[in-house]
Amino acid sequence: MAIVKTTRTRKRAHSGSDIERRVTTVVGELRQLSDQLLAEIADRKSAEEALRQSQDTVTALLNAPPDSALLIAPDGKILAANTTAIKRLRRYAGPGKRTDLVGVSVYGLFPKELTEHRKARNEAVIKSGRPARFEDERNGRWFDNSIYPVHGAGGSIVGLAIFTREITERKQAEHAIAQSQETIRALLNAPTDAALLLDTKGNILAANETAA
């Protein structure tokens, strides 16, 4: 009987050792999975932080110049815009529009004539695949526009980057200079006598028809 008890005791001890080993193995696997999960969470947080910093950098670069910077889809939907662009476009946005205007069609913001002009310019860039530059006028304000195609991985155009600079002051200065030149010509040609405009070295800057 003693031998039998000893054998049973050994079996129970052996069974207990197996359970302990299994528990130890499971705990080790769980600990390993936990470490992996923590590492993945840390990597994800690091990636999210890198993405946030990248987005902040892009936003800062977009908002650095006083020019409008706009990214639109081929159909005209606004994908991104800097502060200057939002400020200018918001003047044309109707009530109920989203304040950031992202997702709104840029073609729905301008008067019909200007919309047709802008759309034709954009479609020409999409068709040719080459950048374009042009000037136009809105409500007495002049703008210099540059359009660049944005190519996707397959080479197709997936959007347009549009940069707009207001040049009203330059246009006004050019107009003032042109008017001044016309005034000088009129004054020079008014008298019947010869009239010359010379610089300090005696070079002729302008002359009326009689002097010529």
Side-chain angles (χ1 to χ4, degrees):
M1 292 298 293
I3 295 174
V4 174
K5 288 181 180 179
T6 302
T7 302
R8 289 177 180 175
T9 301
R10 288 178 179 176
K11 287 182 178 180
R12 286 198 297 271
H14 182 72
S15 177
S17 298
D18 288 343
I19 293 174
E20 289 178 0
R21 282 196 296 269
R22 291 176 183 176
V23 169
T24 301
T25 300
V26 171
V27 169
E29 291 176 349
L30 289 174
R31 185 174 296 166
Q32 185 177 2
L33 289 173
S34 176
D35 291 341
Q36 291 177 353
L37 180 60
L38 290 174
E40 290 176 0
I41 292 174
D43 290 341
R44 186 181 67 185
K45 287 184 176 179
S46 178
E48 290 175 350
E49 178 62 20
L51 177 59
R52 186 190 64 77
Q53 290 181 350
S54 176
Q55 290 173 336
D56 290 345
T57 300
V58 171
T59 301
L61 289 173
L62 283 174
N63 290 324
D67 304 338
S68 294
L70 187 68
L71 179 64
I72 65 173
D75 62 357
K77 183 181 295 182
I78 299 174
L79 302 177
N82 70 350
T83 303
T84 304
I86 291 297
K87 184 178 179 180
R88 289 176 180 171
L89 291 174
R90 197 175 289 160
R91 300 172 188 169
Y92 300 95
K97 296 290 187 181
R98 292 171 55 182
T99 55
D100 60 0
L101 297 182
V102 173
V104 175
S105 175
V106 71
Y107 299 133
L109 300 177
F110 300 119
K112 182 178 179 181
E113 183 177 350
L114 183 59
T115 296
E116 293 175 352
H117 176 68
R118 288 292 182 89
K119 190 173 183 180
R121 291 280 188 175
N122 292 343
E123 289 179 347
V125 172
I126 294 174
K127 184 177 181 179
S128 67
R130 294 190 299 269
R133 185 176 178 180
F134 65 95
E135 297 177 359
D136 64 6
E137 181 265 341
R138 299 198 302 266
N139 299 328
R141 313 298 293 179
W142 281 89
F143 298 90
D144 183 355
N145 308 279
S146 297
I147 311 173
Y148 299 90
V150 179
H151 297 273
S156 60
I157 295 177
V158 296
L160 296 174
I162 304 173
F163 299 92
T164 302
R165 171 173 296 181
E166 184 171 352
I167 56 171
T168 303
E169 291 184 1
R170 192 192 78 189
K171 284 290 186 179
Q172 290 173 344
E174 291 174 351
H175 180 67
I177 291 172
Q179 282 189 328
S180 177
Q181 291 174 340
E182 291 177 1
T183 301
I184 290 174
R185 293 192 189 95
L187 290 174
L188 286 174
N189 289 318
T192 56
D193 300 332
L196 294 174
L197 179 63
L198 309 177
D199 63 13
T200 55
K201 296 182 180 179
N203 296 315
I204 300 174
L205 300 178
N208 68 354
E209 294 178 358
T210 301

